[in-house]
């Protein structure tokens, strides 16, 4: 398969995910053009021929191997397809949904980009409504089946947010819904899922054949962190917000060459955290020292935000100089944006760094304390490598890239 001109690659955007999907497609085009430029430059030098002659020879062999006969009127050079597959979504009055593929996709490797956490008002045909996770899942199920029945070669789901990820363990008479969702995906023909900072790797144990690729946004988040905080400061300390986040925060502490502390929480599970003012945390104990320090807290998501705000208030009481939180999935459900806004005005924290894997409106993006890290290129690189059967290990374990970024900064 040619690495220059991608063949049999199709991208589909789920309802409400069009913006992020277009960013990924734009990044894919940039990656292919950059690779083409690099190949032309190196081959011209290697064989001692002109750039123009190199382009002609490369594209000659590309045209021969491409299934469609190119038009003689088209200039010689790299001409990439749009990648996007047209889909028509329908939502009926009784709530049933339908997905219809409008483009021929037989034999294509289809990547469905779908942010199932979008809870803003969206338009589907003539219907305007605010979808739930369950609405998105039904659209996704019908879409996967439509793709498979249209003759696609394979289906990969690009789900920045894995649905029902927090229902991964049972303590009473309850179901393992995270595993159930994965089994449904596997049963209807999905071959791979690409997600971001999945809540628990235990979910992968539910699959027999489906591959789960769990990406990390640490490189992009540290790049955003460097814009608001001196990451070479000797006063840095990383604090794990709970025992489940120790591994994630240990990664940041090792990369930043700074101490690691931890907050030990005791919860009252008979209560449900509904917002920042109604948390189910009974007590907090700090293991470590944050007095006079620039604190960094890393977590996988912010939902209502009550737990994080409570933790940051406790760190302020312990003498933290500044507090910056890094989250991969900034949901900010309910009144969370206003709750964090109030906490910021009280001086509880300084910045929240979150990725654009979760769609946000100006309600959050307009906040001075929120810094967005763009991860569309990361997803584009993974799609490109998978499509051409190349290893994605460097993108899954990005410690080397993170360490190089931090070392360069700290050496200065």
């Amino acid at each position: 398969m040619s690495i220059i001109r991608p063949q049999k690659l199709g991208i589909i955007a789920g309802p409400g995910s069009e913006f992020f999907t277009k960013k990924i497609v734009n990044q894919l085009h940039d990656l292919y053009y950059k690779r083409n430029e690099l190949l032309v430059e190196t081959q011209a030098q290697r064989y001692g021929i002109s750039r123009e002659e190199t382009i002609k020879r490369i594209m000659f062999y590309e045209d021969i191997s491409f299934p469609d006969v190119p038009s003689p009127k088209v200039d010689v050079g790299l001409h990439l397809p749009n990648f996007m597959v047209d889909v028509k979504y329908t939502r009926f009055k009784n709530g049933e949904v339908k997905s219809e593929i409008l483009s021929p996709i037989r034999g294509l490797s289809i990547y469905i980009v779908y942010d199932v956490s979008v809870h803003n008002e969206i338009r589907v045909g003539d219907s305007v409504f605010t979808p739930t996770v369950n609405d998105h899942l039904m659209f996704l199920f019908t879409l996967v089946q439509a793709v498979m029945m249209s003759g696609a070669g394979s289906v990969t789901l690009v789900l920045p947010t894995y649905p029902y990820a927090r229902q991964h363990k049972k303590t009473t008479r309850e179901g393992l819904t995270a595993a159930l969702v994965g089994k449904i995906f596997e049963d209807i023909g999905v071959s791979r899922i690409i997600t971001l900072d999945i809540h628990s790797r235990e979910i992968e144990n539910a699959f027999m054949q489906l591959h789960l690729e769990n990406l990390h946004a640490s490189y992009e988040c540290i790049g955003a962190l460097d814009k608001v905080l001196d990451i070479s400061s000797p006063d840095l300390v990383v604090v794990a917000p709970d025992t489940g986040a120790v591994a994630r925060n240990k990664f940041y502490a090792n990369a930043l060459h700074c101490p690691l502390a931890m907050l030990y929480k005791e919860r009252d599970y008979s209560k449900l955290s509904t917002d920042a003012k109604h948390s189910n945390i009974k007590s907090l104990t700090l293991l470590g020292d944050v007095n006079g320090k620039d604190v960094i807290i890393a977590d996988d998501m912010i939902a209502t935000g009550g737990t994080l705000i409570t933790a940051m208030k406790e760190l302020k009481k312990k003498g933290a100089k500044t507090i910056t939180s890094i989250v991969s999935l900034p949901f900010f459900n309910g009144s969370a944006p206003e709750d964090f806004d109030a906490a910021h005005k009280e001086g509880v924290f300084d910045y929240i760094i979150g990725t654009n894997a979760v769609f946000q409106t100006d309600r959050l993006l307009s906040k001075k304390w929120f810094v967005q890290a763009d991860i569309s290129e990361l997803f584009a690189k993974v799609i490109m490598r998978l499509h051409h059967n190349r290893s994605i290990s460097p993108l899954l374990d990005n410690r080397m890239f993170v360490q190089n970024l931090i070392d360069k900064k700290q050496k200065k």
Side-chain angles (χ1 to χ4, degrees), residues 181-288:
V181 170
K183 286 297 294 179
I184 294 174
F185 285 143
E186 191 171 48
D187 290 342
I188 62 178
V190 174
S191 59
R192 191 183 303 270
I193 295 177
I194 304 171
T195 190
L196 181 71
D197 258 344
I198 196 166
H199 191 65
S200 173
R201 290 305 300 260
E202 298 168 357
I203 296 171
E204 191 173 8
N205 297 334
F207 307 140
M208 293 296 292
Q209 296 177 325
L210 189 151
H211 299 279
L212 179 68
E213 313 296 357
N214 186 40
L215 307 184
H216 301 279
S218 50
Y219 180 82
E220 291 77 12
C221 287
I222 287 179
L225 177 68
D226 187 39
K227 297 177 182 178
V228 298
L229 184 68
D230 182 8
I231 62 174
S232 62
S233 170
D235 293 329
L236 291 181
V237 60
V238 175
V239 177
D242 51 44
T243 54
V246 169
R248 176 181 290 104
N249 284 269
K250 183 180 178 181
F251 170 86
Y252 281 100
N254 289 338
L256 291 165
H257 309 295
C258 67
L260 173 66
M262 187 188 77
L263 281 169
Y264 177 73
K265 301 173 185 174
E266 289 191 10
R267 297 178 181 268
D268 181 1
Y269 287 101
S270 65
K271 299 179 180 179
L272 183 66
S273 294
T274 56
D275 54 42
K277 298 178 181 178
H278 301 88
S279 174
N280 62 0
I281 296 177
K282 293 195 299 183
S283 64
L284 277 172
T285 303
L286 175 64
L287 305 178

Side-chain angles (χ1 to χ4, degrees), residues 9-29:
L9 172 60
I11 310 290
I12 294 178
S17 303
E18 294 83 1
F19 181 75
F20 187 60
T21 306
K22 289 179 180 178
K23 287 186 71 70
I24 291 178
V25 169
N26 289 337
Q27 293 286 358
L28 274 171
H29 279 99

Side-chain angles (χ1 to χ4, degrees), residues 369-398:
W369 46 264
F370 183 75
V371 180
Q372 193 174 70
D374 186 2
I375 60 165
S376 58
E377 184 179 3
L378 173 62
F379 279 93
K381 286 180 177 179
V382 171
I383 291 173
M384 182 179 180
R385 283 175 171 263
L386 286 174
H387 184 63
H388 295 284
N389 296 318
R390 298 175 62 202
S391 172
I392 61 171
S393 296
L395 300 177
L396 296 177
D397 184 4
N398 60 3

Side-chain angles (χ1 to χ4, degrees), residues 40-289:
V40 169
E41 180 182 344
T42 55
Q43 295 303 301
Q45 293 180 359
R46 181 178 183 180
Y47 294 104
I49 56 179
S50 69
R51 172 184 171 82
E52 292 73 18
E53 182 63 24
T54 303
I55 293 174
K56 285 183 178 181
R57 293 190 183 188
I58 290 176
M59 296 315 301
F60 174 81
Y61 290 106
E62 286 289 316
D63 289 342
I64 290 177
S65 62
F66 206 66
D68 297 329
V69 178
S71 170
K73 297 180 180 180
V74 178
D75 295 335
V76 174
L78 182 63
H79 300 281
L80 295 176
N82 180 36
F83 296 132
M84 294 295 295
V85 175
D86 292 330
V87 179
K88 179 183 178 181
Y89 299 106
T90 306
R91 184 174 185 268
F92 300 99
K93 296 297 183 181
N94 65 350
E96 291 183 1
V97 301
K98 182 175 74 171
S99 303
E100 182 182 358
I101 311 301
L102 303 180
S103 307
I105 60 171
R106 185 170 301 279
L108 297 189
S109 297
I110 297 295
Y111 290 78
I112 299 174
V113 181
Y114 205 149
D115 177 8
V116 297
S117 69
V118 172
H119 53 271
N120 303 297
E121 193 175 77
I122 65 172
R123 174 179 290 277
V124 174
D126 297 329
S127 176
V128 178
F129 70 110
T130 302
T132 66
V133 173
N134 298 326
D135 292 320
H136 288 306
L137 279 177
M138 282 311 303
F139 270 117
L140 188 51
F141 293 153
T142 61
L143 177 57
V144 171
Q145 188 180 45
V147 168
M148 294 299 295
M149 296 181 71
S150 298
S154 64
V155 179
T156 298
L157 300 184
V158 181
L159 306 177
T161 305
Y162 187 94
Y164 285 91
R166 284 178 285 183
Q167 296 188 34
H168 64 96
K169 59 184 178 181
K170 63 193 303 279
T171 54
T172 58
R173 298 181 184 90
E174 57 185 309
L176 295 171
T177 315
L180 173 63
V181 170
K183 286 297 294 179
I184 294 174
F185 285 143
E186 191 171 48
D187 290 342
I188 62 178
V190 174
S191 59
R192 191 183 303 270
I193 295 177
I194 304 171
T195 190
L196 181 71
D197 258 344
I198 196 166
H199 191 65
S200 173
R201 290 305 300 260
E202 298 168 357
I203 296 171
E204 191 173 8
N205 297 334
F207 307 140
M208 293 296 292
Q209 296 177 325
L210 189 151
H211 299 279
L212 179 68
E213 313 296 357
N214 186 40
L215 307 184
H216 301 279
S218 50
Y219 180 82
E220 291 77 12
C221 287
I222 287 179
L225 177 68
D226 187 39
K227 297 177 182 178
V228 298
L229 184 68
D230 182 8
I231 62 174
S232 62
S233 170
D235 293 329
L236 291 181
V237 60
V238 175
V239 177
D242 51 44
T243 54
V246 169
R248 176 181 290 104
N249 284 269
K250 183 180 178 181
F251 170 86
Y252 281 100
N254 289 338
L256 291 165
H257 309 295
C258 67
L260 173 66
M262 187 188 77
L263 281 169
Y264 177 73
K265 301 173 185 174
E266 289 191 10
R267 297 178 181 268
D268 181 1
Y269 287 101
S270 65
K271 299 179 180 179
L272 183 66
S273 294
T274 56
D275 54 42
K277 298 178 181 178
H278 301 88
S279 174
N280 62 0
I281 296 177
K282 293 195 299 183
S283 64
L284 277 172
T285 303
L286 175 64
L287 305 178
D289 180 26

Side-chain angles (χ1 to χ4, degrees), residues 231-232 236 255-257 405-412:
I231 62 174
S232 62
L236 291 181
L256 291 165
H257 309 295
L405 173 66
I406 293 173
D407 288 346
K408 288 180 182 178
K409 176 66 178 181
Q410 293 185 344
K411 282 180 180 179
K412 292 181 181 180

